[in-house]
Amino acid sequence: MSYEIAWFADDLLHSFGLFALALAVGGLVWGFFSLKTETAFSAARQAALASSLDLAIMGAWGLALTQFLQLWAKAQALADILKISPFPDFLDTQVFQIGLMRALLAAALALGLMWLRRKPERTGRWVGAVALAAALMTCGAWLVHGASRMENRVPLMVLTAMHQFGAIVWVGGVIHLGSMWRLGRRQAEVARLWPSVLARFTPLGMAAVLILLLTGIPLGLWYVETWQGLIGTAYGSMLASKWVLMAAALGLAGLNFAAARRWRRDAGAGGLGGIGKAIPFYVESEGTLLFSALFVAATLAALPPSVDLPDQQATAVEVIEAFAPKIPRMISPTIEEVRQAEADPGVVARTESTAEEYWSDYNHNMAGILLLFIGLLAIAERTGKFPLGRHWPLGFLALAVFVLIRADNEVWPYGDLSFLEGMQEVTTLQHKLAFLVTMGLGVMEWRARNTPNPQPWLPYVFPALCITGGIVLLTHSHAAFEFKTEYLIEVSHTAMGVLALLMGVGRWLELRLDSPAGRLAGHGSVLSVVLIAAILIFYLEPPA
Amino acid sequence: MKNLPFHQIIAVLFLVPVMAATFASSVHAHAVVIETSMKEMPVRPGQATEVETRFNSAVEAKLSRIFLIDIGGKELALKITAGSSPDRLVVELPTLPAGAYVFQYRVLAADGHFTDNALRFRISNNP
């Protein structure tokens, strides 16, 4: 296996490991504070707790598996880099030893949770499971960035582990809350219990957010240090993206909090009422945003902190320039001009050629114009005065064809390589898959909006793909060679990633909620399309 | 529309990791070089030398590789040893003519993150 693929697998497993940790440890904390309220359980509480512990057990096994697989992926990557077996040297590393211990602790936690599930009324079993979870969290501190720093190692490790704990309690709690609501749709007793559990979760969620803030602020100051570090580096912009996602999730949490307070104030007199109508969907979207934030957090952990790149930070003026309105490039350089510019001086004396920049500018700007057209049609449809506007998803077909033709100039129809020959190259393959996804997105959304009785899942494909695209844009990074130049390319992609996520979540809420809240969320979704279009229209390759 | 079955939601959300796995290319610049001995002691043409590189985090010397790339794109694996502290590596440079070069380094940080990055430098005839 090539080291690039193994590294990628390692990164992806890291993200899923965080999610599994949230299910397991976050679920355990959630279960303890929200469901284990008395020694004698009602049947509904027992059912809810059993279901929650099942999810936590799944998370713990999932974490054990991802941790084992991460060790395997690292060994594969090392074998390809070193061209010899990485053993036994790999066995001596902190990564291997702590990784193995963490995998075993996760497996032990899974067994502990299974033991707890049999008799959840026994406090001793909770203590045992909590002790295993605490050991697991502590062990993880040796795998965070602070553990490899030469200065302030211990405080950074402690703060990061606590920060991680705050995050997983919040994320895990929200997911378990959503899962319990799902269970409530099959079991009326559980449904009746749900509002009180939501009310009990609220202070726990607030405490988790407080831990996140109290640990996140010193970590941010340590790793970012200055405003320029926040604005002018990939690390800073990813941190800012995480804040935006968490602020959006916090906004939804605020709605849940208000609903729970109202329900408590009325002493549950209104039954499920409003609390059962919209709140579960806010919880669902909050969970999606937090899930995305975990991916961003995993990416952040892999980036060099801003404080380590003092000479390679972009200025605020340079970042503003990346987004500032400019006249879009409407005329593409010819392929001959690009070929001429591609007399590559090699990696040692790398310079970006003007024709190549213009080619890229034109691609981005024209894609933005197409997307703006799609967005304006969607707005026109929403006014109710332009029924033909409902065909706006077909605009994605034009966008897909544009990507297919323009993305790879060395492949047919511009280059010497045939369509199939081009597929041997990873980037080209990715672009062809992007073409297929964009096509699929357009066709499915068009069918969802223009078919009298579409399949129930069909309308959800569009927001799910937007969320996917958002995560990909956020976790994608250009090769790090010239940090500042690459960052100035990346910053617009990061902004588009956040907007794509908001677009997906907005549309998801529009599908789930009744008007006016649903319609408002839909407006937000369309606005995100227009903002992404604007970023693309004003995109210019930064000077090398 | 408001009551989508759970398994279908899971199926739709499953697209997320699948698509992410298909498209994402990951970040691989975790342990970056923040200092080299070349600043104090520039490499001279025709003279084998050792260069000490300091990273922003501790690295695993035995599981890291540094390659030298010349202007023609020729790649040479360099011998590396652990430096005076866990964040330092010592690179043995062969005798080289004046010109522009790149260190391509692939290192494993102590926290388990990989880095694939490069550092440009120039060997000049002028002292």
Side-chain angles (χ1 to χ4, degrees), chain A residues 3 7-8 11 16 74 145 148 182 301 304 308 348 460 464 468 480-482 512-514, chain B residues 1-2 6 9 12 17 19 26-30 56 58 70 106 111-112 114 117-118 120:
Chain A
Y3 68 88
W7 281 355
F8 171 59
D11 288 347
F16 284 112
K74 284 182 203 296
H145 181 61
S148 67
R182 292 261 152 210
D308 296 329
V348 175
Y460 292 88
T468 307
F481 189 77
E482 294 287 359
R512 303 297 259 165
L513 301 176
D514 294 326
Chain B
M1 198 76 75
K2 313 275 189 230
F6 187 52
I9 283 199
V12 170
M19 299 314 300
S26 316
V27 180
H28 290 122
H30 183 68
N56 62 340
D70 66 14
R106 291 183 191 131
D111 62 2
F114 287 99
N117 209 340
R120 289 182 206 167

mmCIF file of all heavy atoms in Angstrom, chain A residues 3 7-8 11 16 74 145 148 182 301 304 308 348 460 464 468 480-482 512-514, chain B residues 1-2 6 9 12 17 19 26-30 56 58 70 106 111-112 114 117-118 120:
data_model
loop_
_atom_site.group_PDB
_atom_site.id
_atom_site.type_symbol
_atom_site.label_atom_id
_atom_site.label_comp_id
_atom_site.label_asym_id
_atom_site.label_seq_id
_atom_site.Cartn_x
_atom_site.Cartn_y
_atom_site.Cartn_z
ATOM 1 N N TYR A 3 2.224 4.975 0.767
ATOM 2 C CA TYR A 3 2.148 5.676 2.054
ATOM 3 C C TYR A 3 1.058 6.748 2.050
ATOM 4 O O TYR A 3 0.450 7.036 3.079
ATOM 5 C CB TYR A 3 3.508 6.257 2.462
ATOM 6 C CG TYR A 3 4.019 7.396 1.614
ATOM 7 C CD1 TYR A 3 3.686 8.706 1.907
ATOM 8 C CD2 TYR A 3 4.845 7.163 0.532
ATOM 9 C CE1 TYR A 3 4.163 9.748 1.134
ATOM 10 C CE2 TYR A 3 5.319 8.200 -0.247
ATOM 11 C CZ TYR A 3 4.971 9.493 0.054
ATOM 12 O OH TYR A 3 5.436 10.515 -0.712
ATOM 13 N N TRP A 7 -1.649 6.959 4.871
ATOM 14 C CA TRP A 7 -1.786 8.167 5.694
ATOM 15 C C TRP A 7 -3.232 8.645 5.688
ATOM 16 O O TRP A 7 -3.767 9.066 6.703
ATOM 17 C CB TRP A 7 -0.902 9.285 5.141
ATOM 18 C CG TRP A 7 0.541 9.147 5.503
ATOM 19 C CD1 TRP A 7 1.082 8.202 6.328
ATOM 20 C CD2 TRP A 7 1.609 9.967 5.063
ATOM 21 N NE1 TRP A 7 2.432 8.392 6.413
ATOM 22 C CE2 TRP A 7 2.789 9.466 5.649
ATOM 23 C CE3 TRP A 7 1.703 11.059 4.226
ATOM 24 C CZ2 TRP A 7 4.037 10.033 5.426
ATOM 25 C CZ3 TRP A 7 2.938 11.631 4.001
ATOM 26 C CH2 TRP A 7 4.094 11.133 4.593
ATOM 27 N N PHE A 8 -3.794 8.605 4.487
ATOM 28 C CA PHE A 8 -5.179 9.060 4.364
ATOM 29 C C PHE A 8 -6.105 8.176 5.221
ATOM 30 O O PHE A 8 -6.977 8.675 5.942
ATOM 31 C CB PHE A 8 -5.613 9.059 2.901
ATOM 32 C CG PHE A 8 -7.077 9.320 2.745
ATOM 33 C CD1 PHE A 8 -7.620 10.496 3.221
ATOM 34 C CD2 PHE A 8 -7.907 8.376 2.177
ATOM 35 C CE1 PHE A 8 -8.974 10.742 3.124
ATOM 36 C CE2 PHE A 8 -9.260 8.603 2.081
ATOM 37 C CZ PHE A 8 -9.798 9.794 2.549
ATOM 38 N N ASP A 11 -5.738 9.128 8.822
ATOM 39 C CA ASP A 11 -6.458 10.367 9.161
ATOM 40 C C ASP A 11 -7.958 10.129 9.284
ATOM 41 O O ASP A 11 -8.614 10.639 10.186
ATOM 42 C CB ASP A 11 -6.200 11.440 8.091
ATOM 43 C CG ASP A 11 -4.786 11.977 8.165
ATOM 44 O OD1 ASP A 11 -4.109 11.713 9.177
ATOM 45 O OD2 ASP A 11 -4.352 12.641 7.212
ATOM 46 N N PHE A 16 -13.031 9.028 12.661
ATOM 47 C CA PHE A 16 -14.073 8.092 13.094
ATOM 48 C C PHE A 16 -13.828 7.608 14.521
ATOM 49 O O PHE A 16 -14.779 7.309 15.250
ATOM 50 C CB PHE A 16 -14.200 6.922 12.119
ATOM 51 C CG PHE A 16 -14.920 7.333 10.875
ATOM 52 C CD1 PHE A 16 -14.260 7.399 9.671
ATOM 53 C CD2 PHE A 16 -16.251 7.703 10.911
ATOM 54 C CE1 PHE A 16 -14.916 7.815 8.519
ATOM 55 C CE2 PHE A 16 -16.925 8.122 9.782
ATOM 56 C CZ PHE A 16 -16.257 8.181 8.591
ATOM 57 N N LYS A 74 -0.503 2.927 9.999
ATOM 58 C CA LYS A 74 0.791 3.591 10.222
ATOM 59 C C LYS A 74 1.934 2.654 9.825
ATOM 60 O O LYS A 74 2.911 3.076 9.202
ATOM 61 C CB LYS A 74 0.928 4.002 11.697
ATOM 62 C CG LYS A 74 0.102 5.235 12.072
ATOM 63 C CD LYS A 74 0.340 5.605 13.530
ATOM 64 C CE LYS A 74 -0.795 6.413 14.123
ATOM 65 N NZ LYS A 74 -1.016 7.711 13.527
ATOM 66 N N HIS A 145 -1.351 16.483 20.025
ATOM 67 C CA HIS A 145 -0.181 17.235 19.561
ATOM 68 C C HIS A 145 0.728 17.678 20.710
ATOM 69 O O HIS A 145 1.956 17.633 20.597
ATOM 70 C CB HIS A 145 -0.637 18.443 18.743
ATOM 71 C CG HIS A 145 0.495 19.261 18.218
ATOM 72 N ND1 HIS A 145 1.442 18.736 17.357
ATOM 73 C CD2 HIS A 145 0.876 20.543 18.462
ATOM 74 C CE1 HIS A 145 2.340 19.674 17.089
ATOM 75 N NE2 HIS A 145 2.016 20.771 17.738
ATOM 76 N N SER A 148 3.830 15.764 21.776
ATOM 77 C CA SER A 148 5.083 15.757 21.018
ATOM 78 C C SER A 148 5.810 17.097 21.108
ATOM 79 O O SER A 148 6.871 17.261 20.519
ATOM 80 C CB SER A 148 4.807 15.407 19.551
ATOM 81 O OG SER A 148 4.069 16.444 18.950
ATOM 82 N N ARG A 182 -35.646 8.677 18.541
ATOM 83 C CA ARG A 182 -36.000 7.668 17.527
ATOM 84 C C ARG A 182 -36.697 6.470 18.187
ATOM 85 O O ARG A 182 -37.679 5.954 17.674
ATOM 86 C CB ARG A 182 -34.738 7.168 16.814
ATOM 87 C CG ARG A 182 -34.095 8.185 15.970
ATOM 88 C CD ARG A 182 -34.491 7.993 14.523
ATOM 89 N NE ARG A 182 -34.429 9.259 13.840
ATOM 90 C CZ ARG A 182 -35.187 9.593 12.825
ATOM 91 N NH1 ARG A 182 -36.091 8.761 12.371
ATOM 92 N NH2 ARG A 182 -35.071 10.746 12.242
ATOM 93 N N ALA A 301 -5.723 18.799 14.270
ATOM 94 C CA ALA A 301 -4.671 18.111 15.028
ATOM 95 C C ALA A 301 -3.501 17.717 14.134
ATOM 96 O O ALA A 301 -2.387 17.516 14.605
ATOM 97 C CB ALA A 301 -5.245 16.863 15.690
ATOM 98 N N PRO A 304 0.326 21.998 11.318
ATOM 99 C CA PRO A 304 1.302 22.663 12.192
ATOM 100 C C PRO A 304 0.653 23.901 12.807
ATOM 101 O O PRO A 304 0.039 24.697 12.087
ATOM 102 C CB PRO A 304 2.429 23.052 11.234
ATOM 103 C CG PRO A 304 1.817 23.090 9.889
ATOM 104 C CD PRO A 304 0.644 22.169 9.887
ATOM 105 N N ASP A 308 4.127 28.026 15.028
ATOM 106 C CA ASP A 308 5.354 27.453 14.464
ATOM 107 C C ASP A 308 5.683 28.003 13.077
ATOM 108 O O ASP A 308 6.690 27.622 12.489
ATOM 109 C CB ASP A 308 5.237 25.924 14.382
ATOM 110 C CG ASP A 308 5.115 25.303 15.762
ATOM 111 O OD1 ASP A 308 5.682 25.866 16.710
ATOM 112 O OD2 ASP A 308 4.448 24.259 15.881
ATOM 113 N N VAL A 348 12.545 22.149 -7.379
ATOM 114 C CA VAL A 348 13.585 22.945 -6.728
ATOM 115 C C VAL A 348 13.369 24.435 -6.946
ATOM 116 O O VAL A 348 13.536 25.241 -6.054
ATOM 117 C CB VAL A 348 14.978 22.503 -7.239
ATOM 118 C CG1 VAL A 348 16.070 23.401 -6.682
ATOM 119 C CG2 VAL A 348 15.231 21.072 -6.836
ATOM 120 N N TYR A 460 -33.418 13.903 0.712
ATOM 121 C CA TYR A 460 -32.324 14.017 1.687
ATOM 122 C C TYR A 460 -30.940 13.804 1.059
ATOM 123 O O TYR A 460 -29.931 14.052 1.709
ATOM 124 C CB TYR A 460 -32.540 13.024 2.839
ATOM 125 C CG TYR A 460 -33.730 13.404 3.679
ATOM 126 C CD1 TYR A 460 -35.006 12.955 3.357
ATOM 127 C CD2 TYR A 460 -33.595 14.252 4.765
ATOM 128 C CE1 TYR A 460 -36.114 13.328 4.095
ATOM 129 C CE2 TYR A 460 -34.685 14.639 5.519
ATOM 130 C CZ TYR A 460 -35.945 14.170 5.179
ATOM 131 O OH TYR A 460 -37.039 14.557 5.908
ATOM 132 N N ALA A 464 -27.458 15.747 2.202
ATOM 133 C CA ALA A 464 -26.398 14.834 2.668
ATOM 134 C C ALA A 464 -25.129 15.035 1.839
ATOM 135 O O ALA A 464 -24.020 15.054 2.380
ATOM 136 C CB ALA A 464 -26.863 13.387 2.588
ATOM 137 N N THR A 468 -21.497 16.308 2.972
ATOM 138 C CA THR A 468 -20.290 15.564 2.591
ATOM 139 C C THR A 468 -19.278 16.481 1.933
ATOM 140 O O THR A 468 -18.097 16.495 2.290
ATOM 141 C CB THR A 468 -20.643 14.455 1.575
ATOM 142 O OG1 THR A 468 -21.677 13.681 2.120
ATOM 143 C CG2 THR A 468 -19.453 13.582 1.268
ATOM 144 N N ALA A 480 1.457 20.848 1.402
ATOM 145 C CA ALA A 480 2.125 21.906 2.142
ATOM 146 C C ALA A 480 3.553 22.064 1.660
ATOM 147 O O ALA A 480 4.394 21.220 1.923
ATOM 148 C CB ALA A 480 2.104 21.562 3.616
ATOM 149 N N PHE A 481 3.825 23.082 0.932
ATOM 150 C CA PHE A 481 5.185 23.345 0.481
ATOM 151 C C PHE A 481 5.464 24.818 0.731
ATOM 152 O O PHE A 481 6.315 25.174 1.499
ATOM 153 C CB PHE A 481 5.318 22.991 -1.002
ATOM 154 C CG PHE A 481 6.723 23.023 -1.496
ATOM 155 C CD1 PHE A 481 7.590 21.990 -1.197
ATOM 156 C CD2 PHE A 481 7.181 24.080 -2.252
ATOM 157 C CE1 PHE A 481 8.908 22.025 -1.657
ATOM 158 C CE2 PHE A 481 8.486 24.113 -2.711
ATOM 159 C CZ PHE A 481 9.347 23.089 -2.411
ATOM 160 N N GLU A 482 4.656 25.657 0.110
ATOM 161 C CA GLU A 482 4.706 27.086 0.376
ATOM 162 C C GLU A 482 3.481 27.376 1.237
ATOM 163 O O GLU A 482 2.389 27.569 0.717
ATOM 164 C CB GLU A 482 4.642 27.862 -0.946
ATOM 165 C CG GLU A 482 5.833 27.681 -1.848
ATOM 166 C CD GLU A 482 7.061 28.410 -1.346
ATOM 167 O OE1 GLU A 482 6.973 29.083 -0.300
ATOM 168 O OE2 GLU A 482 8.114 28.290 -1.976
ATOM 169 N N ARG A 512 -37.372 18.908 7.330
ATOM 170 C CA ARG A 512 -37.852 18.321 8.578
ATOM 171 C C ARG A 512 -38.887 19.192 9.295
ATOM 172 O O ARG A 512 -39.754 18.666 9.984
ATOM 173 C CB ARG A 512 -36.684 18.081 9.545
ATOM 174 C CG ARG A 512 -35.582 17.216 8.992
ATOM 175 C CD ARG A 512 -36.009 15.825 8.679
ATOM 176 N NE ARG A 512 -35.607 14.875 9.692
ATOM 177 C CZ ARG A 512 -36.099 13.645 9.784
ATOM 178 N NH1 ARG A 512 -37.031 13.246 8.944
ATOM 179 N NH2 ARG A 512 -35.689 12.834 10.718
ATOM 180 N N LEU A 513 -38.740 20.523 9.173
ATOM 181 C CA LEU A 513 -39.577 21.411 9.987
ATOM 182 C C LEU A 513 -40.751 21.971 9.195
ATOM 183 O O LEU A 513 -40.677 22.103 7.967
ATOM 184 C CB LEU A 513 -38.740 22.585 10.509
ATOM 185 C CG LEU A 513 -37.529 22.266 11.370
ATOM 186 C CD1 LEU A 513 -36.774 23.550 11.700
ATOM 187 C CD2 LEU A 513 -37.958 21.573 12.659
ATOM 188 N N ASP A 514 -41.796 22.323 9.923
ATOM 189 C CA ASP A 514 -42.907 23.024 9.296
ATOM 190 C C ASP A 514 -42.536 24.497 9.155
ATOM 191 O O ASP A 514 -41.644 24.996 9.833
ATOM 192 C CB ASP A 514 -44.162 22.882 10.172
ATOM 193 C CG ASP A 514 -44.623 21.428 10.230
ATOM 194 O OD1 ASP A 514 -44.455 20.723 9.218
ATOM 195 O OD2 ASP A 514 -45.119 20.998 11.294
ATOM 196 N N MET B 1 -43.049 13.223 4.467
ATOM 197 C CA MET B 1 -41.662 13.646 4.309
ATOM 198 C C MET B 1 -40.974 13.853 5.651
ATOM 199 O O MET B 1 -39.777 13.695 5.795
ATOM 200 C CB MET B 1 -41.639 14.948 3.507
ATOM 201 C CG MET B 1 -40.295 15.276 2.903
ATOM 202 S SD MET B 1 -39.955 14.289 1.465
ATOM 203 C CE MET B 1 -41.026 15.075 0.269
ATOM 204 N N LYS B 2 -41.766 14.257 6.665
ATOM 205 C CA LYS B 2 -41.142 14.575 7.941
ATOM 206 C C LYS B 2 -40.757 13.319 8.739
ATOM 207 O O LYS B 2 -40.022 13.412 9.691
ATOM 208 C CB LYS B 2 -42.079 15.421 8.808
ATOM 209 C CG LYS B 2 -42.719 16.579 8.083
ATOM 210 C CD LYS B 2 -41.801 17.774 8.092
ATOM 211 C CE LYS B 2 -42.547 18.984 7.567
ATOM 212 N NZ LYS B 2 -41.818 19.680 6.532
ATOM 213 N N PHE B 6 -35.533 5.606 10.200
ATOM 214 C CA PHE B 6 -34.180 5.766 10.724
ATOM 215 C C PHE B 6 -33.131 5.099 9.825
ATOM 216 O O PHE B 6 -32.078 5.675 9.556
ATOM 217 C CB PHE B 6 -34.124 5.184 12.137
ATOM 218 C CG PHE B 6 -32.823 5.446 12.828
ATOM 219 C CD1 PHE B 6 -32.306 6.721 12.918
ATOM 220 C CD2 PHE B 6 -32.109 4.403 13.410
ATOM 221 C CE1 PHE B 6 -31.114 6.978 13.559
ATOM 222 C CE2 PHE B 6 -30.911 4.647 14.052
ATOM 223 C CZ PHE B 6 -30.417 5.933 14.130
ATOM 224 N N ILE B 9 -32.210 7.245 7.032
ATOM 225 C CA ILE B 9 -31.336 8.362 7.433
ATOM 226 C C ILE B 9 -29.905 7.877 7.556
ATOM 227 O O ILE B 9 -28.967 8.508 7.070
ATOM 228 C CB ILE B 9 -31.792 8.955 8.789
ATOM 229 C CG1 ILE B 9 -33.017 9.820 8.567
ATOM 230 C CG2 ILE B 9 -30.674 9.768 9.433
ATOM 231 C CD1 ILE B 9 -33.306 10.799 9.652
ATOM 232 N N VAL B 12 -28.455 7.431 4.177
ATOM 233 C CA VAL B 12 -28.096 8.699 3.540
ATOM 234 C C VAL B 12 -26.832 9.266 4.189
ATOM 235 O O VAL B 12 -25.904 9.700 3.507
ATOM 236 C CB VAL B 12 -29.277 9.709 3.638
ATOM 237 C CG1 VAL B 12 -28.836 11.087 3.198
ATOM 238 C CG2 VAL B 12 -30.445 9.233 2.785
ATOM 239 N N PRO B 17 -19.133 9.489 5.065
ATOM 240 C CA PRO B 17 -17.782 8.926 5.095
ATOM 241 C C PRO B 17 -17.340 8.328 3.774
ATOM 242 O O PRO B 17 -16.174 8.430 3.406
ATOM 243 C CB PRO B 17 -17.878 7.848 6.174
ATOM 244 C CG PRO B 17 -19.309 7.608 6.411
ATOM 245 C CD PRO B 17 -20.022 8.863 6.045
ATOM 246 N N MET B 19 -18.136 9.248 0.730
ATOM 247 C CA MET B 19 -17.709 10.283 -0.201
ATOM 248 C C MET B 19 -16.436 10.962 0.294
ATOM 249 O O MET B 19 -15.564 11.292 -0.493
ATOM 250 C CB MET B 19 -18.810 11.332 -0.376
ATOM 251 C CG MET B 19 -20.104 10.789 -0.932
ATOM 252 S SD MET B 19 -19.885 9.704 -2.344
ATOM 253 C CE MET B 19 -19.083 10.813 -3.457
ATOM 254 N N SER B 26 -5.526 14.296 2.437
ATOM 255 C CA SER B 26 -5.329 14.728 3.817
ATOM 256 C C SER B 26 -4.188 15.712 3.973
ATOM 257 O O SER B 26 -3.381 15.908 3.080
ATOM 258 C CB SER B 26 -5.060 13.499 4.661
ATOM 259 O OG SER B 26 -5.947 12.499 4.303
ATOM 260 N N VAL B 27 -4.177 16.275 5.135
ATOM 261 C CA VAL B 27 -3.127 17.227 5.479
ATOM 262 C C VAL B 27 -1.901 16.441 5.928
ATOM 263 O O VAL B 27 -2.022 15.560 6.766
ATOM 264 C CB VAL B 27 -3.605 18.062 6.682
ATOM 265 C CG1 VAL B 27 -2.561 19.067 7.072
ATOM 266 C CG2 VAL B 27 -4.931 18.714 6.392
ATOM 267 N N HIS B 28 -0.746 16.737 5.373
ATOM 268 C CA HIS B 28 0.451 16.026 5.827
ATOM 269 C C HIS B 28 1.592 16.978 6.061
ATOM 270 O O HIS B 28 2.605 16.931 5.400
ATOM 271 C CB HIS B 28 0.836 14.938 4.820
ATOM 272 C CG HIS B 28 -0.138 13.822 4.833
ATOM 273 N ND1 HIS B 28 -0.816 13.428 3.727
ATOM 274 C CD2 HIS B 28 -0.602 13.066 5.846
ATOM 275 C CE1 HIS B 28 -1.653 12.439 4.047
ATOM 276 N NE2 HIS B 28 -1.547 12.215 5.326
ATOM 277 N N ALA B 29 1.391 17.902 6.975
ATOM 278 C CA ALA B 29 2.468 18.791 7.371
ATOM 279 C C ALA B 29 2.269 19.084 8.840
ATOM 280 O O ALA B 29 1.686 20.095 9.200
ATOM 281 C CB ALA B 29 2.406 20.062 6.556
ATOM 282 N N HIS B 30 2.693 18.172 9.646
ATOM 283 C CA HIS B 30 2.457 18.313 11.082
ATOM 284 C C HIS B 30 3.746 18.766 11.758
ATOM 285 O O HIS B 30 3.794 19.797 12.388
ATOM 286 C CB HIS B 30 1.990 16.969 11.629
ATOM 287 C CG HIS B 30 1.652 16.998 13.078
ATOM 288 N ND1 HIS B 30 0.580 17.691 13.564
ATOM 289 C CD2 HIS B 30 2.248 16.419 14.137
ATOM 290 C CE1 HIS B 30 0.530 17.533 14.878
ATOM 291 N NE2 HIS B 30 1.530 16.776 15.247
ATOM 292 N N ASN B 56 9.153 21.293 14.978
ATOM 293 C CA ASN B 56 8.285 21.904 15.990
ATOM 294 C C ASN B 56 7.751 20.870 16.978
ATOM 295 O O ASN B 56 7.016 21.209 17.896
ATOM 296 C CB ASN B 56 7.114 22.645 15.332
ATOM 297 C CG ASN B 56 6.223 21.719 14.539
ATOM 298 O OD1 ASN B 56 6.636 20.632 14.162
ATOM 299 N ND2 ASN B 56 4.999 22.138 14.281
ATOM 300 N N ALA B 58 8.597 16.573 18.675
ATOM 301 C CA ALA B 58 9.510 15.425 18.729
ATOM 302 C C ALA B 58 9.208 14.489 17.563
ATOM 303 O O ALA B 58 8.037 14.301 17.202
ATOM 304 C CB ALA B 58 9.307 14.693 20.053
ATOM 305 N N ASP B 70 17.853 17.374 -6.428
ATOM 306 C CA ASP B 70 18.605 18.440 -7.090
ATOM 307 C C ASP B 70 17.742 19.092 -8.167
ATOM 308 O O ASP B 70 16.593 18.719 -8.372
ATOM 309 C CB ASP B 70 19.939 17.915 -7.631
ATOM 310 C CG ASP B 70 19.762 16.895 -8.748
ATOM 311 O OD1 ASP B 70 18.635 16.791 -9.289
ATOM 312 O OD2 ASP B 70 20.733 16.196 -9.080
ATOM 313 N N ARG B 106 10.074 13.042 5.151
ATOM 314 C CA ARG B 106 8.878 12.285 5.547
ATOM 315 C C ARG B 106 9.147 11.776 6.956
ATOM 316 O O ARG B 106 9.967 10.878 7.143
ATOM 317 C CB ARG B 106 8.641 11.112 4.597
ATOM 318 C CG ARG B 106 8.236 11.592 3.226
ATOM 319 C CD ARG B 106 7.920 10.493 2.258
ATOM 320 N NE ARG B 106 7.805 11.088 0.938
ATOM 321 C CZ ARG B 106 8.395 10.646 -0.153
ATOM 322 N NH1 ARG B 106 9.136 9.556 -0.108
ATOM 323 N NH2 ARG B 106 8.245 11.261 -1.296
ATOM 324 N N ASP B 111 3.589 12.078 18.321
ATOM 325 C CA ASP B 111 2.155 11.901 18.583
ATOM 326 C C ASP B 111 1.473 11.064 17.498
ATOM 327 O O ASP B 111 0.251 10.895 17.506
ATOM 328 C CB ASP B 111 1.456 13.258 18.733
ATOM 329 C CG ASP B 111 1.537 14.104 17.474
ATOM 330 O OD1 ASP B 111 2.100 13.628 16.473
ATOM 331 O OD2 ASP B 111 1.035 15.245 17.482
ATOM 332 N N GLY B 112 2.258 10.574 16.535
ATOM 333 C CA GLY B 112 1.711 9.648 15.542
ATOM 334 C C GLY B 112 1.311 10.275 14.224
ATOM 335 O O GLY B 112 0.869 9.577 13.318
ATOM 336 N N PHE B 114 1.957 12.044 10.584
ATOM 337 C CA PHE B 114 2.993 12.012 9.546
ATOM 338 C C PHE B 114 3.169 13.393 8.925
ATOM 339 O O PHE B 114 2.248 14.199 8.911
ATOM 340 C CB PHE B 114 2.579 11.062 8.427
ATOM 341 C CG PHE B 114 2.669 9.621 8.803
ATOM 342 C CD1 PHE B 114 1.533 8.927 9.195
ATOM 343 C CD2 PHE B 114 3.869 8.947 8.751
ATOM 344 C CE1 PHE B 114 1.595 7.595 9.540
ATOM 345 C CE2 PHE B 114 3.949 7.609 9.091
ATOM 346 C CZ PHE B 114 2.807 6.933 9.484
ATOM 347 N N ASN B 117 6.931 16.873 3.649
ATOM 348 C CA ASN B 117 7.117 18.291 3.350
ATOM 349 C C ASN B 117 8.498 18.511 2.743
ATOM 350 O O ASN B 117 9.285 17.572 2.623
ATOM 351 C CB ASN B 117 6.944 19.115 4.636
ATOM 352 C CG ASN B 117 6.422 20.497 4.335
ATOM 353 O OD1 ASN B 117 6.522 20.976 3.214
ATOM 354 N ND2 ASN B 117 5.875 21.142 5.342
ATOM 355 N N ALA B 118 8.782 19.732 2.384
ATOM 356 C CA ALA B 118 10.045 20.017 1.716
ATOM 357 C C ALA B 118 10.631 21.336 2.196
ATOM 358 O O ALA B 118 9.902 22.206 2.648
ATOM 359 C CB ALA B 118 9.821 20.066 0.222
ATOM 360 N N ARG B 120 13.588 24.168 0.883
ATOM 361 C CA ARG B 120 14.551 24.553 -0.154
ATOM 362 C C ARG B 120 15.813 25.137 0.459
ATOM 363 O O ARG B 120 15.736 25.834 1.476
ATOM 364 C CB ARG B 120 13.948 25.636 -1.046
ATOM 365 C CG ARG B 120 12.860 25.160 -1.942
ATOM 366 C CD ARG B 120 12.407 26.343 -2.776
ATOM 367 N NE ARG B 120 11.027 26.155 -3.194
ATOM 368 C CZ ARG B 120 10.291 27.110 -3.709
ATOM 369 N NH1 ARG B 120 10.772 28.317 -3.837
ATOM 370 N NH2 ARG B 120 9.069 26.867 -4.096
#
